[in-house]
Amino acid sequence: MKLSHSLISLAGLALVNALPQASTSTPSSTSTPTQTASGSFATKSGLQFVIDGEAGYFPGSNSYWIGFLTNNDDVDLVFDHMSESGLRILRVWGFNDVNEVPGSGTVYFQLHQDGVSTINTGEDGLQRLDYVVQSAEERGVKLIINFVNYWNDYGGMNAYVQAYGGSSNADFYASSEMQAAYQAYIKAVVSRYIDSPAVFAWELANEPRCQGCNTSVLHNWIEETSQYIKELDSQHMVCIGDEGFGLDTGSDGSYPYGYSEGSDFAAALTIETVDFGTFHLYPSSWGTDNDWGNGWITSHGAACEAAGKPCLFEEYGVTSDHCTIEKPWQTTALNTTGVSADLYWQYGDTLSTGASPDDGNTFYYGTDDFECLVTEHVEAIEASGRG
Ligand SMILES: *[C@@H]1O[C@H](CO)[C@@H](O)[C@H](O)[C@H]1NC(C)=O
Ligand SMILES: *[C@@H]1O[C@H](CO)[C@@H](O)[C@H](O)[C@H]1NC(C)=O
């Protein structure tokens, strides 16, 4: 999801948090996970994901903001509610790139300035992500952790471009300097949580595109980066984080099926170091309608089935009528053999500071929408025999 107002809301949240909660227990700088706390590493078997030794279909959600919270109790609350509700996977931002050090109390993970990148491992840096991993691990929730944003929210590829020179995100893929900085960041994050059973998968980026580029640009970058991650960590799964653009299977010729964003979904799935497919669904942003989304889901499921890898229906959301619009998508995904998990965009809850950030697509724990799209969905998964 492209977020336009998120930085503002989070900056406010961080400011409020900085005052009374600054002394909440400090996470340890090194994570010391235990295999026993929440079972074995997540993996896949054929077209299905495997969590804690069980293959099946898994429900989950997204929270771009959880790693930027400064109050540990808020992090714990989210994972408590998730695990009680049966949500098994949370996708979080493992990046937060800046070009200037923000004000005190605002979390950032990496500073890019004048051709130099510096990773922030302090209390307002990766120690916040450490706590997310620790809390998820204690509650048996699995995490998808990604390394850079295509969009400018929380810096993104543009933060690298600003520091190293260039005019667009296409330069990010092409620059050996930027790729070296990106890989150094990947190495820092992967080595921090390499032993953690809380990691479901490492993810290259949020919604990587290269508009108007030959699809070989993204393809080669996906191949190189996924190979690099597998060399660092052969045990955890690796995925792309793309929207699923560029697909002939089931294509109706509409924009998302086309190749104009430089993406080739089926070709990327042939890369050995990519464990599973990811795709998103935002009909209103893509000029398609809500019902069209059902075909988008089955098309990707079919492509994943053909590739012999599971598909993760990784983001879907609307700004209103959540239950009416999103429920059919969940039903379709659960009924599609090649799809093995779905994560709605995005998770909402009531934190110590009030409602968690809402980019427009949030629905909240404890609401009727939550009952419809989480509680009933979890029941439907169990009833389907795929649970
Ligand atoms: C795209 O790149 C591939 C491999 O580098 C090349 O063979 C192909 O001709 C290119 N396609 C276009 C349309 O430029
Ligand atoms: C989808 O629904 C049909 C008809 O109800 C059923 O036979 C089939 O097993 C379902 N497929 C999956 C993957 O759940």
Side-chain angles (χ1 to χ4, degrees):
M1 183 66 185
K2 179 183 178 175
L3 309 167
S4 37
H5 305 295
S6 54
L7 198 53
I8 294 160
S9 57
L10 251 291
L13 190 68
L15 202 62
V16 175
N17 267 339
L19 304 172
Q21 284 103 16
S23 61
T24 340
S25 72
T26 311
S28 59
S29 56
T30 50
S31 121
T32 49
T34 51
Q35 282 287 127
T36 48
S38 44
S40 53
F41 283 10
T43 183
K44 58 174 180 165
S45 170
L47 299 175
Q48 291 194 301
F49 294 120
V50 179
I51 293 183
D52 297 338
E54 285 174 35
Y57 188 100
F58 300 96
S61 189
N62 285 270
S63 168
Y64 71 85
W65 42 264
I66 195 163
F68 314 149
L69 298 176
T70 52
N71 182 343
N72 291 348
D73 292 344
D74 285 335
V75 175
D76 290 343
L77 176 100
V78 169
F79 288 118
D80 278 338
H81 287 167
M82 282 190 66
S83 85
E84 285 161 18
S85 310
L87 290 169
R88 307 291 297 277
I89 305 169
L90 187 69
R91 177 168 172 261
V92 306
W93 280 187
F95 57 81
N96 188 334
D97 297 285
V98 297
N99 291 120
E100 279 175 29
V101 176
S104 147
T106 299
V107 174
Y108 72 98
F109 295 162
Q110 195 174 205
L111 171 70
H112 307 277
Q113 238 171 22
D114 304 325
V116 179
S117 297
T118 311
I119 298 167
N120 179 11
T121 56
E123 286 185 22
D124 58 353
L126 285 175
Q127 289 180 32
R128 298 313 311 152
L129 195 58
D130 292 350
Y131 195 77
V132 170
V133 173
Q134 183 186 320
S135 182
E137 198 172 293
E138 285 165 3
R139 290 158 182 83
V141 175
K142 303 296 176 186
L143 302 170
I144 296 177
I145 299 178
N146 55 20
F147 301 120
V148 71
N149 203 355
Y150 170 78
W151 307 104
N152 294 355
D153 307 280
Y154 302 98
M157 295 175 186
N158 179 59
Y160 289 79
V161 172
Q162 291 306 311
Y164 290 86
S167 56
S168 76
N169 285 0
D171 297 313
F172 171 80
Y173 305 110
S175 156
S176 54
E177 272 188 302
M178 287 188 242
Q179 289 304 304
Y182 168 65
Q183 291 196 348
Y185 183 71
I186 290 175
K187 188 175 189 177
V189 174
V190 168
S191 50
R192 243 171 145 81
Y193 316 121
I194 194 163
D195 295 322
S196 178
V199 176
F200 181 81
W202 304 117
E203 185 171 277
L204 272 50
N206 175 48
E207 303 188 337
R209 296 180 177 186
C210 190
Q211 196 174 49
C213 302
N214 188 321
T215 57
S216 65
V217 173
L218 280 180
H219 187 89
N220 293 342
W221 171 76
I222 291 164
E223 191 162 54
E224 270 170 39
T225 311
S226 61
Q227 279 172 4
Y228 176 72
I229 299 169
K230 285 289 186 185
E231 280 163 21
L232 296 171
D233 176 2
S234 61
Q235 298 210 69
H236 286 113
M237 294 193 285
V238 174
C239 63
I240 301 167
D242 61 313
E243 293 152 288
F245 291 157
L247 181 64
D248 289 343
T249 308
S251 175
D252 60 356
S254 58
Y255 153 74
Y257 282 100
Y259 296 82
S260 63
E261 300 293 354
S263 199
D264 184 333
F265 182 80
L269 274 181
T270 66
I271 297 171
E272 207 185 317
T273 41
V274 171
D275 287 290
F276 58 88
T278 49
F279 66 97
H280 300 179
L281 175 57
Y282 293 104
S284 60
S285 307
W286 297 347
T288 55
D289 61 35
N290 294 327
D291 191 43
W292 171 95
N294 294 299
W296 181 248
I297 296 163
T298 54
S299 297
H300 286 80
C304 276
E305 197 170 349
K309 296 179 180 181
C311 252
L312 172 65
F313 180 21
E314 191 180 60
E315 285 192 24
Y316 56 93
V318 291
T319 53
S320 60
D321 299 322
H322 294 278
C323 181
T324 315
I325 298 169
E326 296 174 45
K327 189 159 198 125
W329 296 341
Q330 292 184 333
T331 304
T332 300
L334 181 57
N335 194 252
T336 301
T337 306
V339 179
S340 185
D342 70 82
L343 318 182
Y344 65 88
W345 183 279
Q346 66 159 323
Y347 185 89
D349 213 328
T350 307
L351 309 177
S352 61
T353 46
S356 61
D358 181 7
D359 62 322
N361 297 62
T362 308
F363 63 84
Y364 287 80
Y365 174 79
T367 61
D368 288 350
D369 285 330
F370 194 90
E371 172 75 20
C372 170
L373 294 170
V374 177
T375 311
E376 290 175 18
H377 188 37
V378 168
E379 287 166 3
I381 293 167
E382 278 167 23
S384 75
R386 297 189 72 191

